[in-house]
Amino acid sequence: MQGVRQGYWLLIVMATFSFWPVMSQAMDTDDYLREAKTYLEQGQDKHAVIQLKNALLLDQNNTEARLLLGEVYLDQEELRSAEKELSRSRELGADRERVILPMGRTWLLMGESDRMLEEIVVEEGDSIPLQVGIQLSHGKAYLLKQELEKADEAFTSALALEPSAVDALLGKAGIAKLKGDDEDYAAFVDKALAVDPKSADAWAMKGSQLRLDGKLQEAVSAYGKVLQIEPGRTNARVAKAMALMG
């Protein structure tokens, strides 16, 4: 009988020890967030999304998980999902410095310029970088609405806060192009490149103008710069091929 009892308790102990590692490996919300951030740093967005969703299964009101998930969806241009997650993170009290610009960009890409202009505004206490970002967002929204004077005012405000704001210089270049002023267009693009020689957008805009001017070899060189900076930029690859064909 004693031997039977010993065998019974041995089975219980072994079962307990075999279950112990499984319990010790259980992950909490912070673990899932850490893994998600590591995946994002490695460019493995799909794996990051899985871990962020796992975090939200444990805590559906986790602000950080909602914010990161919204940012990933925005990068993937899954705009409705991005809007949902970013809006929820705002409701949960996400840091304004982190959430406001992605929220505005989402609405811009959704074609909701009026909503962006109404809801994404400078508030007292906003940092200079955030104020610049908001002014840039307004400038882009007004450009989409073809309200060039208001767009120019917004880009000018951004440059007053940050004279080296490349996107503001390129925004002014875009206004000049819409007004048919190729000289100002080229000048603003060159100013942007002087500030940031690694701006893929500036090189793409320069390449477009060079191609229109019939300077095909220079255009090819400009598009080559774009592809050095952003190898996956398909439109630059196509434009370069067309310039090569003359």
Side-chain angles (χ1 to χ4, degrees):
M1 180 65 71
Q2 186 175 358
V4 172
R5 285 203 188 102
Q6 286 177 336
Y8 172 78
W9 285 111
L10 179 61
L11 288 173
I12 294 295
V13 170
M14 292 302 295
T16 301
F17 278 122
S18 65
F19 183 60
W20 190 7
V22 175
M23 291 182 63
S24 67
Q25 292 173 12
M27 295 175 65
D28 61 19
T29 305
D30 289 338
D31 293 327
Y32 284 125
L33 281 172
R34 276 193 294 271
E35 285 204 357
K37 289 175 181 178
T38 298
Y39 283 130
L40 288 173
E41 290 171 0
Q42 296 171 348
Q44 300 185 56
D45 289 0
K46 289 183 180 179
H47 293 300
V49 167
I50 292 170
Q51 298 303 68
L52 290 170
K53 288 183 176 180
N54 284 334
L56 289 169
L57 285 175
L58 297 179
D59 178 9
Q60 64 179 348
N61 292 327
N62 189 285
T63 307
E64 182 71 6
R66 295 279 181 196
L67 178 55
L68 288 173
L69 192 55
E71 290 175 337
V72 173
Y73 283 141
L74 176 56
D75 287 341
Q76 296 175 342
E77 296 192 1
E78 296 182 32
L79 301 180
R80 290 296 176 189
S81 295
E83 180 188 30
K84 173 189 171 184
E85 298 300 339
L86 293 170
S87 295
R88 183 64 180 134
S89 71
R90 287 181 77 192
E91 293 169 2
L92 292 169
D95 182 1
R96 175 176 166 81
E97 294 277 332
R98 290 182 60 195
V99 72
I100 203 74
L101 294 180
M103 190 78 260
R105 183 179 165 219
T106 300
W107 284 330
L108 276 179
L109 290 173
M110 292 173 69
E112 297 185 16
S113 297
D114 288 334
R115 184 178 183 185
M116 194 283 296
L117 289 166
E118 181 179 344
E119 295 198 30
I120 308 299
V121 296
V122 174
E123 294 183 1
E124 186 176 353
D126 284 347
S127 68
I128 295 298
L130 181 56
Q131 291 182 54
V132 171
I134 291 172
Q135 293 295 349
L136 289 172
S137 296
H138 281 207
K140 292 172 184 177
Y142 284 125
L143 266 182
L144 289 172
K145 290 163 61 70
Q146 296 287 298
E147 297 183 29
L148 302 187
E149 295 305 319
K150 289 183 178 180
D152 191 56
E153 288 174 9
F155 291 133
T156 297
S157 295
L159 288 168
L161 293 165
E162 178 51 70
S164 61
V166 170
D167 281 353
L169 293 168
L170 294 180
K172 281 183 168 286
I175 292 170
K177 174 59 71 175
L178 290 171
K179 289 181 176 180
D181 190 338
D182 289 347
E183 186 175 339
D184 269 3
Y185 174 88
F188 280 119
V189 170
D190 285 342
K191 283 182 183 179
L193 286 170
V195 171
D196 182 8
K198 293 185 178 181
S199 170
D201 288 337
W203 280 113
M205 291 173 73
K206 189 175 183 69
S208 296
Q209 186 60 48
L210 289 167
R211 187 173 158 216
L212 286 174
D213 291 342
K215 299 177 180 179
L216 299 183
Q217 287 304 313
E218 292 178 57
V220 168
S221 177
Y223 290 129
K225 293 280 190 182
V226 176
L227 294 170
Q228 286 177 15
I229 299 162
E230 294 183 12
R233 193 151 171 167
T234 304
N235 57 353
R237 196 173 301 281
V238 172
K240 181 180 179 181
M242 293 180 70
L244 283 168
M245 290 188 295

